[in-house]
Amino acid sequence: SEKESDSDSDKVDLSQFYKTFSESRRQRKEPKLNPVNLSDCLDNFINPEILDDENRWFSPFAKKKVNAEKNITIWEAPKVLVIHLKRFKKTMYGTAEKITNRVNFPLEGLDISKYLHKSSKCENKIYDLFAINNHTNFNKFGFGGISFGHYYSYCKNITNNKWYNYNDESVDEISTDKIITNDAYILFYKVRET
């Protein structure tokens, strides 16, 4: 009928739209993101934070809100240290987006001495990496935001000291020069036995 043919002509070929959209996103120049070091992240984490104005601390001694300085240090370090990198942030529009800066981190010899409390008697100070949990959100394929994603892991085999990529059903050996990526999300360190 004539009505059906009119509605067919109104249809849009979405596959072509998505192909064009994805291609334009791929060609768009992504801003160059500066890499950061894990030590810089840890330094930032332990920096004193001033609590003032609307963010004052309620003192149980003064029984009122007062200006204060908050400090974070490690009192007792664990045998397995798990470091969760902040990879998501809220945008000014209230949505979330992934932080994709590369974080450089040591594979061996992470020294946390300077992050321990000055009175700590902790002996666990040097750590070696044994696993990395990675997350990708398919930005390189034209999908923005954090609605899509995939997790995979790099783990060190303790019997042969080689690194492996565990990605769904596939497991492949990976060289150490390829395991520090922009997708690193959670780092797993084991204390070095003395």
Side-chain angles (χ1 to χ4, degrees), residues 7-121:
S7 64
D8 286 344
S9 66
D10 292 338
K11 289 183 181 177
V12 176
D13 182 2
L14 290 180
S15 63
Q16 184 60 38
F17 168 77
Y18 288 126
K19 182 179 177 185
T20 304
F21 174 75
S22 295
E23 187 60 34
S24 69
R25 288 193 52 107
R26 265 190 238 115
Q27 290 175 357
R28 185 181 70 190
K29 295 278 187 205
E30 293 295 325
K32 184 80 171 156
L33 300 172
N34 294 326
V36 296
N37 293 318
L38 181 61
S39 59
D40 296 331
C41 296
L42 293 171
D43 288 345
N44 189 47
F45 183 71
I46 67 163
N47 273 344
E49 179 183 355
I50 303 300
L51 304 175
D52 59 5
D53 299 327
E54 297 298 316
N55 195 27
R56 291 185 299 162
W57 176 66
F58 182 82
S59 167
F61 309 106
K63 305 228 185 290
K64 65 179 184 177
K65 288 189 173 190
V66 297
N67 291 343
E69 182 178 282
K70 180 174 83 171
N71 293 289
I72 297 175
T73 55
I74 301 169
W75 181 259
E76 185 69 31
K79 290 190 178 197
V80 174
L81 179 64
V82 179
I83 299 176
H84 180 256
L85 301 173
K86 180 181 176 184
R87 284 294 190 188
F88 301 98
K89 67 179 178 181
K90 285 210 174 211
T91 67
M92 60 190 254
Y93 305 108
T95 59
E97 90 181 1
K98 186 169 180 196
I99 301 169
T100 57
N101 296 63
R102 180 180 171 139
V103 177
N104 295 314
F105 46 87
L107 304 184
E108 296 178 336
L110 173 65
D111 186 351
I112 65 163
S113 299
K114 73 186 245 184
Y115 309 111
L116 294 173
H117 188 277
K118 61 184 175 187
S119 300
S120 174
K121 305 285 187 233

